[in-house]
Amino acid sequence: MRAASVLLGLAASAIAAPSPSVESRDNGGDQFTLGQPISKDGKGGRILGGTNKELDLQNPDNLGQQSTDAGIVPNLKWSFSDSKTRILKGGWVREQVVTDLPSSHDIAGAQQHLKKGAIRELHWHKVAEWGIIYNGRITVSAVDENGVYQATEIGYGDVWYFPPGVAHTVQDRVCLPHLTAAPFPLTLPTPKDILAKNFGVPESTFKDIPAANPYIFNAPVATKNVTGAVTPQATGDASFVYRTLQHPPEKIGGTGGTFYKIDSTNFPISKEIAATFVTLKPGGLRELHWHPNAEEWLYFHKGKARATAFIGNGAARTFDFSAGDTAVFPTNAGHYIENTSKDEDLVWIEIYKSDHVADVSLSQWLALTPPEIAAQTLKVPVEFIEQIKREKQVLIE
């Protein structure tokens, strides 16, 4: 069966630094990629106490590899692999919430996996929900306050958005993993006599209604469509669904990959959450930039990456990312994202609590500043400033 996926007191003693080893010489004199905090200029020393070697190897920048890191920067990374997985009859879910990644004030995320036919129970939220399919196919169904409804099948790369209060559910068609945001389930502890009176049916109709929140449960794949509706279906600009890969990517500067924007400018219903779906070629760079209107929450779907966040007052910290990691860059924090693989694309999703995606490019700012002023500030040749491209490069090859 195929599966689908949707789409945070010590004492010290002095230890003599070891002499450079063959391993260190093979790595340009440092040993960060070997899991040791030893720089080529002799700083640091071998870890002799307890450590998680695998994590050290995955995170060389946590060992001090990036020499420009400085000051105090809070943790901006959380892996879904560190989240508690909730096992359910119809699949599983694992979440990243503010207690996992306190720096993420605006967005909480979840990975959900549904078996074929499994249903994410009927529910609604106090906040907007945004989701993306990164494996498999599902049917999404929603109804708003005016009775506008939609039930449609979506697949890889497709996005749904449900405004606050919109009632909805999803059912897997071929076995699903996906990425999504606390629900009010239909199976609230409402007295059965009240349910019977509300729907005009015998109380016995509800003899088997679940007493607790089932969350994700098994069911046969639905085959019947809604009939006899007197309210319209959601279509066009009113649709709850955006089929990302059926649209052309954004026309951007740079040839380093593809950049899909999903916000209220092309997905009108999505007024509280904006997003991008990005693919960056091996060795490519998401140019230095920052976001003036919202925190940037990221989910890395494929590949390996490095990013440095500059939060002001000279404070900067570099992080290493792998598939399944989430991250957040604070509003107006400068950063870049680099694909550190030589042969694999880097694929990630950005989400913002905003109606539109916005960023300020460092290169474009310098290019549109009087050349002598920019050159004198950075202590670089004025000719360098004059040759910077005037348009954003976004994804650099």
Side-chain angles (χ1 to χ4, degrees):
M1 178 183 294
R2 290 182 62 198
S5 304
V6 186
L7 282 155
L8 113 166
L10 56 89
S13 59
I15 301 174
S19 59
S21 65
V22 173
E23 286 183 328
S24 70
R25 290 195 296 271
D26 289 344
N27 285 272
D30 67 49
Q31 295 191 28
F32 298 112
T33 58
L34 303 175
Q36 294 294 341
I38 302 173
S39 67
K40 60 185 177 182
D41 59 1
K43 291 181 179 179
R46 185 169 295 278
I47 298 174
L48 300 179
T51 192
N52 187 321
K53 184 71 172 181
E54 186 172 336
L55 279 180
D56 292 334
L57 291 171
Q58 292 175 10
N59 299 277
D61 286 294
N62 264 355
L63 297 175
Q65 176 175 251
Q66 184 52 263
S67 61
T68 56
D69 284 1
I72 304 299
V73 177
N75 180 49
L76 304 178
K77 172 184 173 181
W78 178 265
S79 174
F80 274 124
S81 294
D82 288 323
S83 296
K84 171 68 176 178
T85 302
R86 181 179 176 186
I87 302 295
L88 302 148
K89 290 183 177 179
W92 56 261
V93 60
R94 54 187 186 181
E95 301 174 335
Q96 173 264 297
V97 296
V98 69
T99 51
D100 303 317
L101 188 57
S103 298
S104 183
H105 308 95
D106 296 340
I107 303 293
Q111 281 183 314
Q112 295 181 355
H113 178 103
L114 278 67
K115 298 177 183 176
K116 184 176 181 179
I119 295 173
R120 172 68 172 96
E121 65 171 334
L122 281 76
H123 64 284
W124 68 97
H125 301 271
K126 295 180 179 179
V127 295
E129 176 180 299
W130 185 99
I132 187 169
I133 304 298
Y134 58 76
N135 192 50
R137 300 191 66 81
I138 64 171
T139 293
V140 295
S141 174
V143 180
D144 74 6
E145 72 272 21
N146 298 313
V148 176
Y149 70 99
Q150 185 173 20
T152 189
E153 186 175 327
I154 61 176
Y156 178 79
D158 291 341
V159 167
W160 72 82
Y161 175 86
F162 302 131
V166 167
H168 59 276
T169 188
V170 303
Q171 182 180 40
D172 182 57
R173 307 295 295 187
V174 296
C175 230
L176 159 90
H178 61 273
L179 177 73
T180 70
F184 289 99
L186 184 63
T187 54
L188 287 168
T190 305
K192 292 180 182 179
D193 62 319
I194 298 299
L195 291 173
K197 183 179 292 187
N198 186 81
F199 292 104
V201 296
E203 189 173 328
S204 60
T205 303
F206 303 101
K207 61 182 177 65
D208 295 323
I209 194 168
N213 176 6
Y215 203 92
I216 298 171
F217 60 93
N218 293 318
V221 175
T223 58
K224 293 185 177 181
N225 296 321
V226 174
T227 60
V230 296
T231 51
Q233 293 193 52
T235 58
D237 286 352
S239 177
F240 295 106
V241 166
Y242 184 82
R243 301 185 188 277
T244 307
L245 301 182
Q246 292 183 17
H247 297 78
E250 295 294 305
K251 294 180 180 180
I252 58 172
T255 59
T258 56
F259 186 93
Y260 291 89
K261 181 184 68 175
I262 311 158
D263 64 15
S264 61
T265 64
N266 54 14
F267 187 25
I269 198 170
S270 189
K271 292 181 170 57
E272 295 188 20
I273 296 178
T276 68
F277 183 90
V278 186
T279 299
L280 184 62
K281 295 178 182 179
L285 183 74
R286 170 71 171 99
E287 70 169 344
L288 284 152
H289 66 285
W290 59 91
H291 302 281
N293 63 329
E295 294 177 349
E296 176 184 2
W297 185 94
L298 305 96
Y299 165 73
F300 290 92
H301 173 53
K302 178 183 177 184
K304 294 185 179 297
R306 175 188 299 122
T308 300
F310 314 91
I311 65 170
N313 297 317
R317 181 175 174 183
T318 303
F319 298 87
D320 301 287
F321 299 102
S322 300
D325 288 343
T326 68
V328 63
F329 298 129
T331 309
N332 288 312
H335 58 280
Y336 64 84
I337 300 173
E338 181 186 18
N339 183 347
T340 55
S341 172
K342 295 180 180 179
D343 53 15
E344 183 181 23
D345 284 347
L346 177 67
V347 181
W348 78 88
I349 294 152
E350 304 168 358
I351 301 178
Y352 309 89
K353 187 180 179 182
S354 175
D355 67 339
H356 68 286
V357 176
D359 68 75
V360 178
S361 161
L362 175 61
S363 294
Q364 188 177 53
W365 175 34
L366 294 176
L368 299 178
T369 297
E372 293 95 340
I373 294 176
Q376 290 167 5
T377 300
L378 297 178
K379 306 302 181 185
V380 297
V382 70
E383 293 79 14
F384 161 71
I385 301 297
E386 291 177 323
Q387 60 84 36
I388 299 175
K389 294 181 179 179
R390 272 44 176 176
E391 67 276 6
K392 296 178 182 179
Q393 292 305 286
V394 186
L395 302 178
I396 300 170
E397 193 166 3

